[in-house]
Amino acid sequence: MIRPDLPLIDLHRHLDGSVRLETILEVGGRYNLPLPAKDLEGLRPYVQVTTPVPGLLAFFEKFEWMIGILVNYDVCHRIAYENVQDALNEGIDYIELRFSPMFMAEPHGLHPQGIVEAVVDGVAAGERDFGVKTNLIGIITRGFGPKTGQKELDALLAHRDDFVALDLAGDEVNFPGEWFVDHFKQAWNVGWGVTVHAGEAGGSPAIWQAIRELRATRIGHAVRAVDDPDLMDYLAENGIGVEMNLTSNVQTSTVPDYANHPLKQMLRHGILATINTDDPGISNIDLPYEYEIAVERAGLYEDQVAQAQQNALTIAFLSEEEKADLLTKKRSA
């Protein structure tokens, strides 16, 4: 159902959840890492979700070997570079890749600023070689707490011109957004956009907090917004973007199945909802899969899918000139 006259855009993809199985095997072998398997099919069940898991924490466990191979900055550079190449192979015209420096640094004691430098350089090299317009979003991981979150933010701010936005991700139930207001003030002060994971494991109050206190103009997941009619109206009337992830939400049991995913309801309500991949390396999907297979299972009509594709261009962290350029290039291709 991909509209060929509109850019294909992924606004919600975790770079560290988009690591190739082949890369895990190669790097693991080179550095003698204790991988759970030595071949692709043996490794797959340890890294990828094949059937829904009982919740987000079970899904997060699949990151073990995604980040477990990040033994040095060269590997981090490679992962970033391959993310852009994979976007090209999926036919993506514009992608926003997000990552948490502390999350990537932790397994092997790397420095978060070194992680940032490696990712920035890897993405720049990928853009140059593959021609896919790519922007970066920095993540503060809630679970590290506000103090470590500031260290993470400092690493991102050292390369402030290489980022378009700040995100807050992780355990929203036990590490509420209220703890991170001062961090996001710093993001506003340097002109970054704000997108926040909210309303996935938590309820609609987490979404309200992200909008009112963190000044989010986009929300990641936001599936619990449908429980709050006033919030649904607010999202629609104020043009708050929603980065939805069909397969990921089914796999984490955030929604019971595709048919009960709220994307269709949000689009009907006039909300700027979009279709994205989240962690395609873990979910074993790509963006065309979400547009061709997942949307059909979710019961979306062709015009609704096209609206979601248009919404992605509308809410992208791009200037109006950049959006117009993307559209022009697509229609002249």
Side-chain angles (χ1 to χ4, degrees):
M1 290 189 184
I2 296 171
R3 274 274 296 271
D5 60 326
L6 290 172
L8 184 60
I9 294 172
D10 196 335
L11 298 178
H12 191 117
R13 179 174 296 197
H14 292 262
L15 179 147
D16 42 15
S18 309
V19 182
R20 300 171 182 172
L21 294 184
E22 295 87 349
T23 300
I24 294 174
L25 288 175
E26 184 181 331
V27 173
R30 182 185 308 168
Y31 293 98
N32 296 314
L33 298 175
L35 295 179
K38 295 183 179 180
D39 61 84
L40 288 177
E41 292 312 309
L43 182 63
R44 195 177 302 280
Y46 293 95
V47 179
Q48 294 181 337
V49 173
T50 54
T51 58
V53 295
L56 282 170
L57 295 181
F59 187 87
F60 290 160
E61 291 174 1
K62 299 295 184 178
F63 276 98
E64 179 181 359
W65 287 110
M66 291 273 168
I67 60 172
I69 64 161
L70 302 180
V71 296
N72 57 39
Y73 304 116
D74 287 341
V75 177
C76 296
H77 183 284
R78 172 180 174 173
I79 297 306
Y81 182 83
E82 290 179 349
N83 262 257
V84 184
Q85 186 177 29
D86 290 342
L88 172 69
N89 293 337
E90 293 174 42
I92 291 173
D93 299 292
Y94 170 66
I95 189 166
E96 293 175 1
L97 295 171
R98 61 186 70 194
F99 70 101
S100 161
M102 291 300 295
F103 187 63
M104 293 175 66
E106 188 179 42
H108 294 281
L110 302 180
H111 194 285
Q113 190 162 330
I115 297 284
V116 173
E117 292 170 359
V119 169
V120 166
D121 289 347
V123 164
E127 269 199 289
R128 180 195 64 225
D129 291 350
F130 306 120
V132 179
K133 184 166 183 59
T134 308
N135 274 327
L136 286 170
I137 297 173
I139 293 177
I140 294 175
T141 296
R142 298 170 185 262
F144 291 128
K147 186 175 180 180
T148 300
Q150 184 60 53
K151 294 180 181 178
E152 189 161 40
L153 179 57
D154 289 341
L156 295 166
L157 288 171
H159 290 266
R160 64 189 64 184
D161 293 338
D162 297 304
F163 290 83
V164 293
L166 183 64
D167 183 17
L168 184 63
D171 182 356
E172 64 177 305
V173 175
N174 296 303
F175 298 87
E178 288 86 349
W179 294 3
F180 299 93
V181 174
D182 288 342
H183 302 71
F184 279 81
K185 287 180 180 177
Q186 296 168 66
W188 315 332
N189 289 338
V190 298
W192 285 349
V194 173
T195 177
V196 174
H197 283 67
E200 184 183 14
S204 63
I207 302 173
W208 280 118
Q209 189 278 332
I211 295 168
R212 290 169 170 165
E213 298 182 22
L214 304 183
R215 298 188 191 176
T217 60
R218 285 173 25 189
I219 302 292
H221 299 288
V223 294
R224 297 274 61 86
V226 294
D227 301 334
D228 186 337
D230 289 340
L231 178 56
M232 291 286 282
D233 290 343
Y234 187 92
L235 294 173
E237 291 165 6
N238 291 275
I240 304 296
V242 175
E243 308 153 359
M244 306 218 85
N245 305 275
L246 289 162
T247 295
S248 170
N249 292 153
V250 173
Q251 290 181 340
T252 59
S253 299
T254 301
V255 299
D257 50 42
Y258 287 101
N260 285 284
H261 197 283
L263 173 57
K264 189 172 185 177
Q265 186 176 346
M266 287 198 172
L267 290 169
R268 283 176 173 169
H269 209 80
I271 294 169
L272 294 173
T274 59
I275 297 167
N276 309 281
T277 56
D278 202 14
D279 300 291
I282 294 175
S283 293
N284 193 23
I285 50 99
D286 57 16
L287 192 57
Y289 178 94
E290 295 298 275
Y291 268 89
E292 301 293 345
I293 307 299
V295 296
E296 183 176 346
R297 293 177 177 174
L300 269 70
Y301 300 116
E302 189 171 345
D303 62 330
Q304 292 172 322
V305 178
Q307 185 59 56
Q309 194 175 348
Q310 175 62 57
N311 289 346
L313 182 63
T314 300
I315 70 170
F317 288 128
L318 293 168
S319 68
E320 293 306 313
E321 182 180 3
E322 289 172 320
K323 293 176 185 179
D325 286 345
L326 265 180
L327 199 53
T328 300
K329 288 177 182 176
K330 191 66 177 179
R331 290 177 174 172
S332 63

